[in-house]
Amino acid sequence: MSRTSIMPGFRPTISFTLLYLSLVVLIPLSTLVFKSFQLSWEDYLNIITNKRVLSSFRVSFITALVAAGIASFFGFIVAWVLVRYAFIGKRFFHALIDFPFALPTAVAGIVLATIFQPSGFLGKFLMQTFGIQVAFKPLGIVMALIFISIPFIVRTVEPVLLEFESSMEEAGASLGATRWQVFTKIIFPNVFPALLTGFALAFARGVGEYGSVIFIAGNIPYISEIVPLLIVTKLEQFDIEGATAIALTMLVISFLLLLLINVLQYWVRKRSGQL
Amino acid sequence: MSHTPPKIVPAKLALRQPRALQDPTWVRWLLTATAVGFISLFICLPLGLVIFQALSKGISTYWSALTQDDTLSAINLTLLVALVTVPLNTVFGVAAAWAITRFDFKGKSLLTTLIDLPFSVSPVISGFIFVLLFGAEGWFGEWLMAHDIKIIFAVPGIILATLFITFPFVARQLIPLMQEMGNQEEEAALSLGASGWKTFWAVTLPNIKWALLYGVLLCNARAMGEFGAVSVVSGHIRGLTNTLPLHVEVNYNDYDVVGAFASASILAALAIVTLILKTALEWKQATR
Amino acid sequence: MSILLADISKNFGSFSALNHINLEIPEGELVALLGPSGCGKTTLLRIIAGLERADQGRVLLSGVDKTHQEVSARGIGFVFQHYALFRHMSVFENVAFGLRVKPRSTRPSNEAISKKVHALLELVQLDWLHDRYPDQLSGGQRQRIALARALAVEPSVLLLDEPFGALDASVRKDLRQWLRNLHHELNVTSIFVTHDQEEAMEVASQVVVLNHGRIEQQGSPSAIYDHPANAFVSRFIGQTNIFDLGEHDSDWLQAAGLLTPQKDGKIAHVRPHDIIIEKSRAEDNAPAMVKDWQHLGALIRLELVKNGSNSSAAHVFAEMPNDQFKELQLNRGDKVDLKIRQAHWFH
């Protein structure tokens, strides 16, 4: 490491940063990796290919994917409306966007469970009108994850829409493009990388989410049991090996997905000449 | 790539759109209705419900739920956790931002990525790794047992897990801002003979104070509200290791809905205060 | 295509951006809308394009009323001040855009589009950049791509908003010449907005001078320069010495050959090259003294001070060719006689 600045304080700040990072993050996180070395390959495969474990992975990833998708669609509309249109109460709605981010997950969990449970306000309505049960089903998990995802989508798309040059739209219109063509060919392609980032953030958060999900999910094995809950269950049964194997797998998959999305994003930016 | 918390967006929302290029009226109505409906369903409804539920059985029930010993000790523990973790992560955030934005060194981008790491880890795993370190079967488990030190299922474990979870918040707010600011002002101060400390207090801090407050605010909200990680290391011992969010869960699972929502409403109030302060800070930033 | 603007007005809140504008532009002209910033010139251009709606008045293209037609249907080419190239599309796709968004019935085939785009890129001499992205181009290159993109739809009118505003001085010079030649080649009615009078005079065949939302004068560059319609135009176009005969200037101006005030007014505007300088023989009551001079290439600009006065209004600027200046062998402090060849009178 070298310092090329006349600024003072490099040594103390970098030392503290590295020390604190190691103590709080790196060392604790690495225990997960070291612990998993104690498992044989066979033990590991046995734990992971267990039917209940596999189905919890399926539930976690599919619900997170669906929720991030739905939140992306509606979040984009919300960001669009907040940036481009004027309406009464806009400031209020704008401030509310971050509510899911500020609200502790346990509170979100019991609130959503109360709303969507069969006796709840919306749960009863949906059950009686459409015969749809939300709570204790994957659908309930999706609902909770949509709630969690909203700020991630809106807050990544909003600044890009704000900075979007309106002259590009005008140029499109002056060249004969209809409003819809201007949107699909000019505006959307420019906002897409940000939307993809928001989607990725929401998805990654959704896969690991615990507090807001467990109350509404009902945690029925094979149906609505998510991976984080399975880790907790294994821990409560003092099955440290099982918990380690599942946690490590989840961590690795999450990192791989994030890597994939980073590569995808690099590709999108590169293709559009923004790199 | 990570769960970056929302960045500060200047609140200059009402753009003057050239009138000739507006969307058709029906499109504007449809989209606005969709957006308002979506936000009402997923945000306003939950918000309203917390308030309604907490007060549904009358103020007195609510008050007695809030003044129970277990609730009070949960509040105390939550405050204690925030009081320890927020200052530590704030000092770290400032130090890390200074080192990363004011100097060039090898591995800088790796360091920046590593700081974001806790955002990408599931809360449950964040708690679990401390069980692996300090739990009965953990690396230091036997040693701790021999010296009669309790970390897991005790307050230190809760603090450690919260430290991990809220680790990046302040640094994440400061790094982009200080990067953008550049160090010309600091160089000017140094060239005029100010000491390093003096430069930081008189030049850097006034420039970053709003972003710093913003980071502290988000860090505090998460520290007080964290559930998954804390739940794994706490052991749920009433009156001892239950933070407020855990207390909500315990009450809820005991079918004490009023008690659960009474505690929940404190946390919801915290969230609302956070939102208001956050909005105020954004206005401050935008009008600076 | 000819352009006719009838009684156009536009307000932004209480600010009146355009005030009863009437303007006729014959087919094939290259017109400059010239004026200081905030004079309404860009708003006028955007109203012609349909990017902005006038509060009042009509826009006619080739005699057809287009006031209420959408921008996308007007068939105009618009070049934006900062080019507004589509960042996510290659240069080729940028130029092809206008052809690709045509309704299927009138859309050319892919081969036809490709042929046309390459032809246009050759016209702007940038075909070798066809697969680059806007962020990879220089300012001048972006400008020419923006022009090619606007020309792709074969517009009947070409509108350019401050086309050279964002460019380096040297690039600007080349592009001015190039735009003139291109206009000669294509002969499409073109309007460009500029605040730079030199640019307007050099490029345009017609100049429209705007101020405070009103048209001050319209005419050929030479007409506007030689016969400014009012004091604003005279001041705005080229350098001018301003003498108020109602005040103390009258004596020496009469001595310099300026005739008594005519009925037009008593304020005289005199171009620097209309002042002739001679070394004074009668040193004591010579009207002016040489203070300093600057070299402007082929010309020399002399800064003179009227005798017995120190106020800034006492400064007179005169211009003369380089060799004439050498012949005179002037030094700082020399007393000189002045002759005024010609003046414009305003109230």
Side-chain angles (χ1 to χ4, degrees):
Chain A
M1 287 191 184
S2 69
R3 37 180 298 175
T4 58
S5 169
I6 63 148
M7 289 288 152
F10 180 67
R11 204 158 292 200
T13 52
I14 195 73
S15 315
F16 177 68
T17 301
L18 292 177
L19 179 72
Y20 191 75
L21 177 74
S22 307
L23 285 181
V24 176
V25 176
L26 298 184
I27 293 173
L29 211 51
S30 62
T31 52
L32 186 59
V33 181
F34 287 123
K35 185 75 186 177
S36 64
F37 288 159
Q38 293 176 350
L39 287 171
S40 73
W41 189 238
E42 267 166 54
D43 291 341
Y44 174 77
L45 280 183
N46 269 336
I47 297 168
I48 289 304
T49 53
N50 175 289
K51 262 191 137 177
R52 186 170 162 189
V53 176
L54 282 181
S55 72
S56 76
F57 269 102
R58 200 175 54 234
V59 169
S60 276
F61 281 93
I62 290 179
T63 52
L65 207 63
V66 172
I70 295 175
S72 296
F73 178 78
F74 285 101
F76 182 84
I77 294 177
V78 170
W80 177 273
V81 168
L82 283 178
V83 170
R84 298 193 158 226
Y85 303 155
F87 58 95
I88 300 163
K90 177 158 135 172
R91 288 223 178 114
F92 175 70
F93 278 102
H94 186 244
L96 279 184
I97 296 300
D98 287 328
F99 184 62
F101 193 80
L103 191 71
T105 52
V107 182
I110 67 165
V111 168
L112 291 169
T114 309
I115 293 175
F116 287 111
Q117 72 196 3
S119 61
F121 173 64
L122 268 180
K124 204 196 265 176
F125 170 76
L126 288 172
M127 192 69 205
Q128 285 171 353
T129 326
F130 303 106
I132 300 171
Q133 189 190 334
V134 177
F136 317 136
K137 294 271 185 195
L139 183 59
I141 303 174
V142 170
M143 288 297 182
L145 294 184
I146 291 175
F147 174 79
I148 293 297
S149 304
I150 293 169
F152 289 97
I153 309 286
V154 178
R155 290 305 191 201
T156 42
V157 171
E158 196 180 21
V160 181
L161 276 178
L162 259 177
E163 276 164 31
F164 184 78
E165 277 180 66
S166 62
S167 63
M168 269 206 264
E169 283 173 59
E170 294 178 347
S174 77
L175 291 166
T178 62
R179 193 77 193 122
W180 177 245
Q181 282 173 324
V182 168
F183 177 76
T184 54
K185 287 174 184 278
I186 298 171
I187 302 175
F188 190 73
N190 275 287
V191 184
F192 183 67
L195 190 61
L196 197 64
T197 306
F199 176 87
L201 295 174
F203 175 65
R205 171 78 195 258
V207 167
E209 182 54 33
Y210 177 69
S212 59
V213 172
I214 54 167
F215 298 99
I216 198 175
N219 312 320
I220 305 158
Y222 303 105
I223 294 174
S224 60
E225 190 174 52
I226 54 168
V227 178
L229 184 82
L230 198 58
I231 296 174
V232 173
T233 311
K234 295 271 179 201
L235 260 181
E236 279 168 357
Q237 296 161 349
F238 300 107
D239 180 3
I240 301 278
E241 275 76 29
T244 306
I246 298 169
L248 186 76
T249 310
M250 182 153 154
L251 206 60
V252 170
I253 295 179
S254 302
F255 284 160
L256 285 180
L257 277 171
L258 286 176
L259 190 71
L260 180 78
I261 285 161
N262 264 341
V263 170
L264 195 67
Q265 215 165 19
Y266 178 81
W267 180 77
V268 168
R269 291 238 158 86
K270 180 128 192 156
R271 216 180 60 115
S272 64
Q274 288 173 30
L275 279 181
Chain B
M1 172 68 53
S2 57
H3 301 265
T4 318
K7 289 221 182 75
I8 298 179
V9 178
K12 47 158 185 187
L13 278 172
L15 278 182
R16 189 179 76 87
Q17 278 285 309
R19 256 199 289 160
L21 274 187
Q22 269 198 356
D23 299 330
T25 313
W26 67 271
V27 172
R28 269 183 289 151
W29 274 100
L30 181 70
L31 292 182
T32 309
T34 308
V36 170
F38 181 73
I39 296 301
S40 301
L41 176 66
F42 276 95
I43 294 182
C44 299
L45 188 63
L47 178 60
L49 191 96
V50 186
I51 300 164
F52 172 76
Q53 279 286 348
L55 302 176
S56 62
K57 297 268 161 61
I59 297 281
S60 58
T61 327
Y62 178 64
W63 186 249
S64 70
L66 275 190
T67 48
Q68 273 174 16
D69 285 350
D70 289 351
T71 314
L72 287 177
S73 73
I75 293 175
N76 280 336
L77 181 57
T78 301
L79 289 176
L80 173 72
V81 169
L83 222 59
V84 176
T85 56
V86 174
L88 273 174
N89 280 339
T90 304
V91 170
F92 161 75
V94 173
W98 184 267
I100 286 174
T101 62
R102 294 298 177 256
F103 302 96
D104 271 328
F105 51 88
K106 265 185 204 152
K108 188 155 121 167
S109 63
L110 177 69
L111 180 59
T112 317
T113 313
L114 287 178
I115 288 176
D116 279 346
L117 207 55
F119 278 142
S120 327
V121 178
S122 169
V124 167
I125 297 178
S126 309
F128 176 50
I129 54 178
F130 288 98
V131 176
L132 284 180
L133 261 183
F134 302 115
E137 285 185 55
W139 300 111
F140 301 110
E142 272 178 43
W143 187 87
L144 290 171
M145 201 97 87
H147 291 77
D148 203 21
I149 303 171
K150 262 189 96 90
I151 291 183
I152 297 306
F153 303 148
V155 176
I158 295 174
I159 290 177
L160 280 172
T162 311
L163 269 185
F164 180 94
I165 286 282
T166 58
F167 180 82
F169 277 86
V170 177
R172 263 291 88 198
Q173 291 299 330
L174 293 186
I175 291 171
L177 178 73
M178 287 173 65
Q179 200 98 57
E180 206 180 299
M181 270 168 30
N183 53 10
Q184 287 183 357
E185 285 186 46
E186 278 107 355
E187 281 176 348
L190 289 167
S191 75
L192 292 168
S195 69
W197 267 116
K198 185 83 191 156
T199 303
F200 176 77
W201 284 108
V203 177
T204 314
L205 203 57
N207 275 324
I208 64 169
K209 66 180 173 201
W210 297 121
L212 182 64
L213 269 178
Y214 193 89
V216 168
L217 187 71
L218 296 182
C219 183
N220 179 62
R222 188 67 193 263
M224 288 187 169
E226 178 50 28
F227 175 71
V230 172
S231 140
V232 171
V233 294
S234 110
H236 292 85
I237 307 162
R238 277 187 185 218
L240 281 179
T241 62
N242 264 358
T243 61
L244 213 42
L246 296 177
H247 193 62
V248 170
E249 185 203 16
V250 170
N251 279 341
Y252 187 81
N253 288 343
D254 287 349
Y255 301 102
D256 176 8
V257 176
V258 176
F261 272 95
S263 308
S265 69
I266 302 178
L267 290 169
L270 174 77
I272 291 165
V273 170
T274 303
L275 273 192
I276 293 171
L277 288 176
K278 185 179 154 305
T279 311
L281 280 178
E282 283 171 358
W283 280 94
K284 261 277 186 315
Q285 281 269 331
T287 55
R288 197 175 46 148
Chain C
M1 189 180 277
S2 66
I3 300 170
L4 184 74
L5 302 178
D7 199 28
I8 297 270
S9 290
K10 172 82 181 173
N11 298 310
F12 292 113
S14 62
F15 174 70
S16 164
L18 293 173
N19 212 331
H20 301 289
I21 297 279
N22 286 291
L23 182 64
E24 192 175 352
I25 293 167
E27 172 149 14
E29 294 281 347
L30 175 53
V31 178
L33 289 181
L34 174 67
S37 64
C39 72
K41 53 194 192 297
T42 294
T43 306
L44 190 61
L45 195 75
R46 290 171 61 86
I47 285 174
I48 299 173
L51 291 168
E52 205 111 30
R53 294 245 183 278
D55 300 337
Q56 179 200 327
R58 293 184 305 142
V59 178
L60 282 79
L61 303 181
S62 279
V64 182
D65 191 334
K66 303 256 179 182
T67 313
H68 298 291
Q69 196 175 38
E70 289 287 320
V71 52
S72 52
R74 280 196 194 186
I76 46 91
F78 200 102
V79 178
F80 290 81
Q81 185 176 5
H82 299 288
Y83 324 125
L85 293 178
F86 306 132
R87 298 183 61 198
H88 60 293
M89 293 182 194
S90 66
V91 163
F92 180 93
E93 286 303 324
N94 261 283
V95 178
F97 183 87
L99 302 169
R100 290 207 198 284
V101 296
K102 280 180 191 256
R104 195 152 292 159
S105 54
T106 57
R107 191 187 306 161
S109 68
N110 274 336
E111 298 88 74
I113 290 178
S114 166
K115 221 176 128 189
K116 175 138 195 192
V117 171
H118 283 299
L120 278 164
L121 286 174
E122 266 160 34
L123 178 73
V124 299
Q125 297 151 10
L126 289 177
D127 197 28
W128 55 288
L129 290 174
H130 65 93
D131 56 355
R132 299 279 183 90
Y133 285 89
D135 285 2
Q136 301 164 329
L137 305 181
S138 73
Q141 289 168 342
R142 282 181 212 178
Q143 171 65 280
R144 286 188 278 165
I145 297 301
L147 198 64
R149 183 178 69 176
L151 291 172
V153 290
E154 294 180 7
S156 46
V157 176
L158 188 61
L159 305 173
L160 307 100
D161 185 7
E162 296 272 4
F164 313 111
L167 297 173
D168 292 341
S170 62
V171 184
R172 209 180 301 173
K173 270 261 188 279
D174 292 344
L175 270 177
R176 282 182 197 169
Q177 190 60 40
W178 179 79
L179 181 66
R180 248 183 96 93
N181 295 340
L182 190 74
H183 180 258
H184 260 290
E185 218 169 301
L186 300 169
N187 205 35
V188 52
T189 313
S190 307
I191 305 179
F192 71 99
V193 154
T194 179
H195 62 265
D196 181 344
Q197 47 99 9
E198 212 177 291
E199 188 172 294
M201 308 296 269
E202 190 181 323
V203 180
S205 61
Q206 287 268 312
V207 178
V208 177
V209 184
L210 277 137
N211 190 31
H212 293 307
R214 291 174 192 278
I215 293 180
E216 301 281 0
Q217 191 175 3
Q218 178 184 7
S220 68
S222 65
I224 284 191
Y225 188 81
D226 293 336
H227 307 288
N230 53 40
F232 172 80
V233 176
S234 169
R235 258 201 314 269
F236 195 70
I237 309 285
Q239 276 227 330
T240 310
N241 295 295
I242 298 170
F243 307 115
D244 188 340
L245 262 72
E247 288 172 22
H248 39 72
D249 281 337
S250 53
D251 287 353
W252 77 264
L253 281 171
Q254 278 172 14
L258 205 58
L259 296 174
T260 38
Q262 298 160 5
K263 60 180 186 309
D264 296 349
K266 53 184 167 53
I267 297 174
H269 286 213
V270 180
R271 300 281 187 207
H273 54 77
D274 283 331
I275 295 179
I276 302 166
I277 294 173
E278 280 168 14
K279 262 193 172 165
S280 179
R281 268 162 260 149
E283 291 240 336
D284 287 342
N285 35 9
M289 180 188 88
V290 176
K291 187 173 181 229
D292 204 356
W293 59 80
Q294 297 127 31
H295 291 263
L296 307 176
L299 291 176
I300 297 286
R301 177 189 295 149
L302 286 144
E303 190 180 350
L304 312 169
V305 189
K306 277 180 274 176
N307 254 354
S309 174
N310 275 324
S311 72
S312 64
H315 284 229
V316 178
F317 288 95
E319 280 172 14
M320 65 175 72
N322 231 331
D323 40 357
Q324 194 183 333
F325 176 71
K326 278 182 190 138
E327 257 171 52
L328 279 173
Q329 293 185 320
L330 288 170
N331 292 308
R332 287 184 183 82
D334 281 357
K335 301 282 166 68
V336 288
D337 288 328
L338 305 177
K339 278 267 175 319
I340 293 176
R341 220 182 333 215
Q342 185 195 355
H344 296 111
W345 296 92
F346 302 105
H347 287 287

